């Protein structure tokens, strides 16, 4: 029986995780659930799962949750704030941590889990983009296991013989990262100026939280994933190629020097990578319908259009540049996407805010986690200035 802390349990990945656990209750116990401010949803999850801890990063929401649970006699202990997230992620009774908080807020709990030697199921790519080498060092030094949840990286993980074996011996020549191209793959670039948040969040294949949905529409998500792949699999950006694959059935591929290409296929449902990472190296039921290749019938692949999707080009440039650029890119993107979702910035200006912020924050890579947090704060402040200038 493995004890699980689900960080971000009220989100899209969190809910899918609980669905997989429900199907495998004899293997996993829910030890902690966390959310930001959605009291009703976390209260409902606590009623069902009776975890030892529930954490709300918003302190007033935590007080409301504690009141609801005590009235109902639910014995879950409620913690508040960022320190509560860290406390459950490193708790000695926790075996696995699902890192499914959206954005930079997920960094510190993931680092805490890494330092405490947990199995980390990493959905929160932003943390890895921000902290890069420091994150990977914490995993290695803490003796943690890092299992990717992003469907692409999980696919690559499945197509690699061993994560930590020597790359030369593995004979890997390229990583082929697939992406659907999002809702605007075929839209004329000049028509993107006026798109609304709801249009941007209407992904053709995946049902996801709003931030990652916008990232998919700009293809910043793929840009962040290029950086994530370089960190996770210790490859150069030049060895990563993005291939647009509208059906989202081939989740990514690994090409070997002998001409072999290994791919992982499946229906587009995050419960597959979640189940894989929970059970690895075993396999468990995920609830995902079997892939029907005959009804899928065709698999298309295209080269990405870097003019239509400047965020993808920027992702590659930032991966090459390294230093302060990845953390600055992530911070700027979070600020710009939030402004877009709140109708303070046009869709097409997300890329411009990101590009301007990366240029303004160029410099050495952060040497410590405090440096990461400082860089993140500075980049957010610069990005907010660019948002103000570009929204007028
Ligand atoms: N959804 C997918 O299919 C998918 C696929 C691959 C990777 N990912 C990655 O997985 C992560 C989660 O994505 P998602 O789509 O599940 O997001 P989501 O649906 O928006 O859920 C986000 C979760 O994080 C919590 N949260 C938000 N702000 C927080 C803060 N400041 N401090 C602590 N917790 C906070 C939310 O709590 P409240 O509900 O209280 O706001 C919620 O539980 C992202 O990094 C994303 O890139 C997602």
């Amino acid at each position: 029986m493995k004890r699980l802390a689900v960080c971000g349990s009220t989100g899209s990945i969190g809910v899918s995780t609980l669905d997989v656990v429900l199907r495998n209750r004899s293997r996993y116990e829910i030890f902690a659930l966390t959310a930001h401010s959605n009291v009703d949803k976390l209260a409902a999850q606590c009623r069902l799962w009776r975890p030892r801890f529930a954490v709300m990063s918003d302190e007033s929401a935590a007080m409301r949750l504690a009141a609801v649970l005590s009235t109902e006699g639910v014995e879950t202990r409620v913690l508040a704030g960022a320190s509560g997230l860290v406390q459950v992620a490193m708790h000695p009774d926790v075996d696995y941590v699902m890192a499914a908080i959206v954005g930079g807020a997920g960094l510190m709990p993931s680092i805490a889990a890494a330092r405490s030697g947990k199995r980390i199921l990493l959905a929160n790519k932003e943390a890895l983009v921000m902290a890069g080498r420091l994150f990977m060092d914490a995993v290695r030094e803490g003796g943690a296991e890092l299992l990717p949840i992003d469907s692409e990286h999980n696919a690559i993980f499945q197509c690699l013989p061993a994560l930590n074996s020597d790359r030369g011996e593995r004979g890997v020549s390229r990583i082929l990262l697939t992406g659907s191209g999002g809702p605007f793959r075929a839209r004329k670039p000049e028509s993107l100026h006026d798109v609304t948040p709801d249009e941007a969040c209407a992904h053709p294949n995946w049902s996801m939280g709003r931030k990652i949905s916008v990232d998919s529409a700009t293809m910043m998500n793929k840009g962040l994933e290029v950086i994530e792949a370089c960190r996770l699999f210790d490859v150069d950006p030049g060895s990563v190629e993005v291939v647009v694959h509208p059906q989202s059935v081939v989740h990514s591929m690994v090409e070997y020097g002998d001409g072999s290409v290994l791919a992982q296929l499946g229906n587009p449902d995050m419960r597959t990578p979640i189940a894989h990472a929970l059970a690895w190296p075993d396999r468990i039921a995920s609830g995902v319908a079997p892939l029907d290749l005959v009804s899928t019938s065709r698999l298309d692949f295209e080269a990405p259009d870097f003019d239509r999707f400047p965020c993808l080009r920027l992702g590659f440039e930032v991966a090459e540049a390294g230093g302060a650029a990845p953390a600055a890119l992530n911070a700027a993107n979070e600020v710009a996407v939030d402004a877009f979702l709140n109708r303070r910035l046009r869709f097409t200006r997300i890329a411009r805010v990101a590009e301007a912020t990366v240029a303004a924050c160029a410099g050495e890579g952060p040497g410590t986690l405090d440096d990461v947090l400082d860089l993140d704060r500075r980049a957010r402040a610069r990005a907010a200035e660019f948002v103000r200038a570009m929204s007028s």
Side-chain angles (χ1 to χ4, degrees):
M1 187 67 123
K2 298 293 182 191
R3 293 204 184 98
L4 183 61
V6 184
C7 296
S9 64
T10 51
S12 161
I13 293 287
V15 167
S16 293
T17 303
L18 294 177
D19 185 84
V20 175
V21 171
L22 197 56
R23 293 163 197 277
N24 296 278
R25 284 192 94 148
S26 60
R27 294 180 66 120
Y28 307 104
E29 180 187 325
I30 298 298
F31 180 84
L33 297 171
T34 90
H36 179 54
S37 57
N38 192 337
V39 173
D40 291 347
K41 199 159 178 179
L42 193 55
Q45 291 180 342
C46 289
R47 271 177 219 118
L48 179 64
W49 290 98
R50 307 276 164 157
R52 201 175 320 161
F53 290 99
V55 187
M56 302 216 74
S57 48
D58 181 292
E59 312 236 349
S60 66
M63 284 168 67
R64 291 202 302 281
L65 180 71
V68 170
L69 296 184
S70 89
T71 311
E72 296 179 10
V74 177
E75 284 183 7
T76 297
R77 194 173 150 206
V78 178
L79 305 177
S83 61
L85 298 172
V86 167
Q87 196 176 323
V88 295
M90 63 188 291
H91 196 287
D93 292 345
V94 165
D95 302 297
Y96 293 179
V97 174
M98 165 53 80
I101 290 173
V102 62
L107 175 64
M108 295 317 283
S110 294
I111 292 281
R115 288 177 172 160
S116 318
K118 310 297 186 197
R119 174 177 291 197
I120 306 167
L121 288 68
L122 185 73
N124 176 223
K125 70 196 86 185
E126 295 94 335
L128 188 55
V129 170
M130 284 169 81
R133 184 182 51 77
L134 295 169
F135 191 113
M136 297 306 285
D137 287 349
V139 168
R140 205 183 43 257
E141 288 160 15
E145 280 180 315
L146 189 57
L147 277 291
I149 292 296
D150 242 332
S151 58
E152 298 78 0
H153 304 74
N154 184 271
I156 294 160
F157 181 89
Q158 294 197 47
C159 295
L160 287 172
L163 189 59
N164 296 319
S165 68
D166 178 74
R167 211 169 356 123
E169 283 174 25
R170 285 189 280 167
V172 172
S173 51
R174 272 191 313 167
I175 283 180
L176 303 168
L177 202 59
T178 55
S180 68
F184 305 139
R185 180 178 63 88
R187 280 267 295 253
K188 287 200 167 62
E190 53 279 16
S191 74
L192 294 180
H193 194 58
D194 291 325
V195 301
T196 64
D198 283 347
E199 284 177 291
C201 289
H203 196 282
N205 306 335
W206 298 96
S207 163
M208 309 182 282
R210 282 173 83 76
K211 190 262 179 185
I212 186 178
S213 295
V214 176
D215 288 350
S216 298
T218 58
M219 287 197 82
M220 179 65 89
N221 185 48
K222 212 49 58 186
L224 297 175
E225 286 178 8
V226 169
I227 302 167
E228 181 185 12
C230 294
R231 303 292 196 204
L232 277 175
F233 305 116
D234 191 23
V235 295
D236 301 325
S239 318
V240 181
E241 184 174 327
V242 169
V243 181
V244 174
H245 167 48
Q247 291 90 356
S248 300
V249 166
V250 175
H251 296 303
S252 276
M253 295 167 268
V254 176
E255 181 193 79
Y256 289 84
D258 61 4
S260 301
V261 177
L262 301 192
Q264 185 259 351
L265 283 71
N267 284 317
D269 187 321
M270 290 306 293
R271 290 176 300 173
T272 293
I274 290 166
H276 171 266
L278 273 172
W280 181 81
D282 297 342
R283 298 272 175 175
I284 54 171
S286 67
V288 177
L291 177 62
D292 181 346
L293 275 172
V294 173
S295 74
T296 303
S297 100
R298 56 184 284 180
L299 300 174
D300 296 311
F301 300 96
E302 312 165 357
D305 180 342
F306 288 95
D307 294 329
R308 187 191 301 261
F309 295 110
C311 288
L312 177 58
R313 175 181 42 75
L314 190 57
F316 272 104
E317 288 169 3
V318 162
E320 282 289 353
L329 177 72
N330 179 66
N333 183 54
E334 287 193 34
V335 169
V337 170
D338 183 65
F340 167 69
L341 285 172
N342 288 294
R343 296 177 180 270
R344 288 184 284 110
L345 189 73
R346 286 186 184 275
F347 180 77
T348 44
R349 299 214 167 132
I350 294 172
R352 288 168 58 185
V353 169
E355 195 157 12
T357 308
V358 168
C361 297
E364 293 272 299
T368 64
L369 274 176
D370 283 343
D371 294 343
V372 174
L373 298 176
D374 182 53
L375 173 57
D376 180 65
R377 266 191 296 274
R378 282 189 290 114
R380 281 171 198 268
R382 291 310 300 269
E385 287 169 19
F386 289 122
V387 165
R388 275 194 292 279
M390 289 187 204
S391 48
S392 54

